Amino acid sequence: MPIHVPAHTQSTAKGVAAILLTIAIFVVDALTSLGIAIAVLYALVIILGAASLDRRGLIAVSVLCVVFTLVAFLFGHSDTFDTDAAIRCAISLCAIIVTTLLSLKNQEAMLQLKNQAALLDLTHDAIFVRDAGDTITYWNRGSERLYGWPAEDAVGRKAAEFLKTRFPIELARLQAELLETGRWEGELSHTRRDGSELKVLSRWSLHRDQHGRPAATMETNGDITERREAESALHKAQAELSHVSRVTTLGELAASIAHETNQPLAAVVTNGDAGLRWLSREPPNIDAARMSLEKMISNARRASDVIARLRALARRSEAEHLPLDLNEAVDDTLLLVQREIAERRVDLDLSFDPALQAVLGDRVQLQQVIINLVMNALQAMDDVEGPRRLRIATRREMAENGQNVVLEVTDSGAGFDAEKAGKLFNAFYSTKANGMGMGLSISRSIVEAHHGQISASANERGGATFIVRLPDAATGDA
Ligand code: ADP
């Protein structure tokens, strides 16, 4: 680490040096006759003074040097006028005045730069600059606040090592992008002085020298630790809510589900009885008994299928994104709601695209969307006297950056007013006496988490159509 000498110690040393130098020049100038313009050396005094004095102080020192030069000249040549000495005195005076003017100009430029740099201290963001070798050369106040390190500790250190930076992608790839575009933006992990880790949104800008070579990188970092934590808490709360809503829906479907499992179980018993009767015949009818056993097995499978799907929907688990067939997901879901459909005497029209591509998604979550849409459609048709039709269709559609897989749920129910269309997906919006108003809101979060869209429209001839668009696995993966 470089040895750091405090700024005030440096300027005191320069002040003492300037005073000693002034005295030495004056003594040599006044008491000796070297035949050279020794007072020119006052320029050095002014240069030394410029580093620590303000504008007024510098002018005062400069006037003092002029006075000393004149006094020394008059002291040495009071009796006779020496042209050479007068010219030397004039040269020295010129040197003092020119050096003073240049130093004043330099001081002004430095002040301007300092003011500009001070502006960087006003921002809340942490800004630092690192040279081509990753060594920190500038560290603003925002960085001091964010990381807990003062500038004097940070300047001179290797940035990535100092902040224990963790990059989201390979450093080489990141640097290649920076070199190509001059910019990079992304999330990084840094470690503070107290050892705590923080997430920052980092923006890098590359500065090149006059030959176009990378000279420095300015890094602006904003703390997003809290935002990320809030997002993850929100995500958890949403998942929790979605789970509760799923379990509530399953509760509403309890009668249907009981029937879906009870019916095959009753069939198992009937087939078992029949099998026994075939076997107790004299002679036993083996073929008929085998058929009864096969029916028993298929009915038991059906009951266990329903229970397996039910358990999958009721379980609370982290969302997983795997390739899945939407036609299959609709089929599985219908198993749970088909009695609701049959009891309400609804005509079900299924139109599956057999060549549908897979989507990348969470099966349980997407089934929840399908159940919500189907149950809403059925409930919307409850008060309809005429024919009740439910159409569920899947199809493919070209999208901007690939293909979409589309699911359409159309009913011939009460529909909704066009101006209400925007509200349907709002949380707690419900027109039902016992409605929670969460189904569509949760469905939208799920679809959007799958990078898809959900929309609703009122049909011309009554009823409503809900459309879910999801990118296919190839597009969603890209
Ligand atoms: P809930 O079913 O508890 O009311 P949702 O979020 O599922 O909550 O639905 C919100 C509202 O959207 C419903 O109350 C209803 O007014 C309207 N809605 C949903 N689906 C349909 C549909 N298929 N036809 C007409 N209106 C619908």
Side-chain angles (χ1 to χ4, degrees):
M1 211 166 80
I3 297 165
H4 182 74
V5 181
H8 59 88
T9 317
Q10 282 181 20
S11 61
T12 317
K14 279 183 189 160
V16 173
I19 292 168
L20 291 176
L21 192 62
T22 311
I23 296 169
I25 296 168
F26 180 71
V27 170
V28 174
D29 196 17
L31 304 181
T32 62
S33 50
L34 291 177
I36 54 165
I38 190 83
V40 163
L41 293 178
Y42 281 126
L44 280 179
V45 174
I46 291 164
I47 291 169
L48 278 174
S52 49
L53 293 171
D54 63 0
R55 191 183 162 78
R56 276 174 153 199
L58 190 63
I59 292 173
V61 167
S62 159
V63 169
L64 210 67
C65 290
V66 168
V67 171
F68 278 7
T69 310
L70 289 174
V71 169
F73 173 69
L74 293 176
F75 183 76
H77 309 90
S78 52
D79 32 355
T80 53
F81 183 77
D82 181 343
T83 318
D84 284 355
I87 290 173
R88 283 198 298 272
C89 175
I91 288 172
S92 301
L93 290 178
C94 276
I96 293 169
I97 291 167
V98 168
T99 313
T100 309
L101 289 177
L102 284 177
S103 297
L104 283 174
K105 219 171 158 192
N106 194 22
Q107 242 186 9
E108 205 171 306
M110 288 291 284
L111 197 72
Q112 223 171 4
L113 264 178
K114 257 190 179 166
N115 285 342
Q116 279 169 2
L119 279 182
L120 289 181
D121 277 336
L122 292 180
T123 170
H124 294 286
D125 284 335
I127 299 177
F128 61 84
V129 178
R130 43 196 175 75
D131 65 14
D134 202 35
T135 303
I136 299 170
T137 55
Y138 172 77
W139 185 259
N140 82 335
R141 210 156 292 152
S143 301
E144 295 188 347
R145 273 194 298 267
L146 185 63
Y147 298 109
W149 292 103
E152 48 265 42
D153 285 348
V155 170
R157 304 287 293 269
K158 298 270 180 206
E161 204 179 283
F162 184 54
L163 296 171
K164 301 196 178 81
T165 312
R166 285 202 285 126
F167 299 96
I169 53 171
E170 242 173 80
L171 187 58
R173 260 174 68 197
L174 195 154
Q175 258 154 358
E177 188 182 327
L178 182 70
L179 283 178
E180 199 185 309
T181 63
R183 290 176 183 284
W184 180 82
E185 186 175 325
E187 282 181 25
L188 298 177
S189 287
H190 281 155
T191 301
R192 285 197 188 90
R193 187 182 192 170
D194 62 12
S196 59
E197 207 176 319
L198 76 163
K199 279 235 165 311
V200 292
L201 179 65
S202 195
R203 291 194 192 88
W204 296 10
S205 313
L206 185 69
H207 172 68
R208 293 179 185 273
D209 62 15
Q210 64 265 43
H211 307 292
R213 283 186 301 247
T217 305
M218 184 164 97
E219 199 173 318
T220 310
N221 294 315
D223 186 2
I224 51 165
T225 317
E226 275 183 22
R227 200 199 307 170
R228 283 286 164 273
E229 276 167 10
E231 272 172 10
S232 112
L234 184 68
H235 180 75
K236 255 188 157 170
Q238 267 176 348
E240 194 76 16
L241 188 62
S242 142
H243 176 248
V244 170
S245 144
R246 220 155 54 222
V247 173
T248 314
T249 313
L250 292 180
E252 285 166 17
L253 292 175
S256 298
I257 291 161
H259 180 86
E260 288 311 325
T261 44
N262 208 22
Q263 204 187 31
L265 288 178
V268 167
V269 176
T270 318
N271 289 312
D273 283 343
L276 279 179
R277 276 199 305 277
W278 292 123
L279 286 176
S280 46
R281 286 231 174 146
E282 210 44 68
N285 186 339
I286 302 293
D287 283 343
R290 181 179 292 122
M291 259 171 65
S292 292
L293 283 174
E294 276 164 3
K295 276 191 194 153
M296 268 175 75
I297 293 170
S298 97
N299 274 304
R301 278 222 176 100
R302 191 174 143 78
S304 92
D305 267 3
V306 173
I307 289 170
R309 291 208 178 121
L310 203 61
R311 284 185 57 188
L313 280 175
R315 77 168 197 262
R316 182 200 321 246
S317 59
E318 276 294 305
E320 45 183 27
H321 281 216
L322 297 172
L324 70 91
D325 178 355
L326 202 65
N327 290 339
E328 247 176 57
V330 174
D331 253 346
D332 281 358
T333 315
L334 285 176
L335 201 62
L336 299 176
V337 290
Q338 66 188 7
R339 194 173 143 81
E340 300 284 331
I341 296 173
E343 270 190 348
R344 288 173 155 99
R345 293 185 310 283
V346 170
D347 288 334
L348 178 62
D349 170 11
L350 289 178
S351 162
F352 287 166
D353 180 342
L356 206 65
Q357 311 93 312
V359 294
L360 213 54
D362 183 83
R363 177 174 288 271
V364 171
Q365 288 193 348
L366 291 178
Q367 281 186 345
Q368 180 170 8
V369 174
I370 301 166
I371 294 192
N372 283 342
L373 296 183
V374 170
M375 288 305 288
N376 274 346
L378 296 180
Q379 286 162 0
M381 292 189 284
D382 274 348
D383 297 328
V384 170
E385 290 301 328
R388 296 170 174 182
R389 271 192 302 270
L390 172 64
R391 181 167 190 274
I392 305 178
T394 57
R395 59 182 167 85
R396 283 165 289 167
E397 180 186 82
M398 281 309 288
E400 252 174 47
N401 49 352
Q403 289 232 36
N404 275 343
V405 170
V406 184
L407 168 75
E408 274 181 15
V409 179
T410 309
D411 63 64
S412 59
F416 52 82
D417 296 340
E419 71 265 19
K420 300 247 172 73
K423 284 191 184 167
L424 301 187
F425 296 94
N426 289 355
F428 306 117
Y429 174 80
S430 176
T431 53
K432 299 170 195 166
N434 302 318
M436 273 219 301
M438 289 309 295
L440 288 180
S441 154
I442 288 172
S443 299
R444 181 165 66 178
S445 318
I446 292 177
V447 171
E448 285 177 355
H450 284 76
H451 308 292
Q453 291 154 5
I454 182 166
S455 59
S457 56
N459 302 335
E460 258 176 39
R461 294 210 207 129
T465 299
F466 283 78
I467 302 184
V468 175
R469 292 188 163 81
L470 296 168
D472 72 359
T475 315
D477 215 10

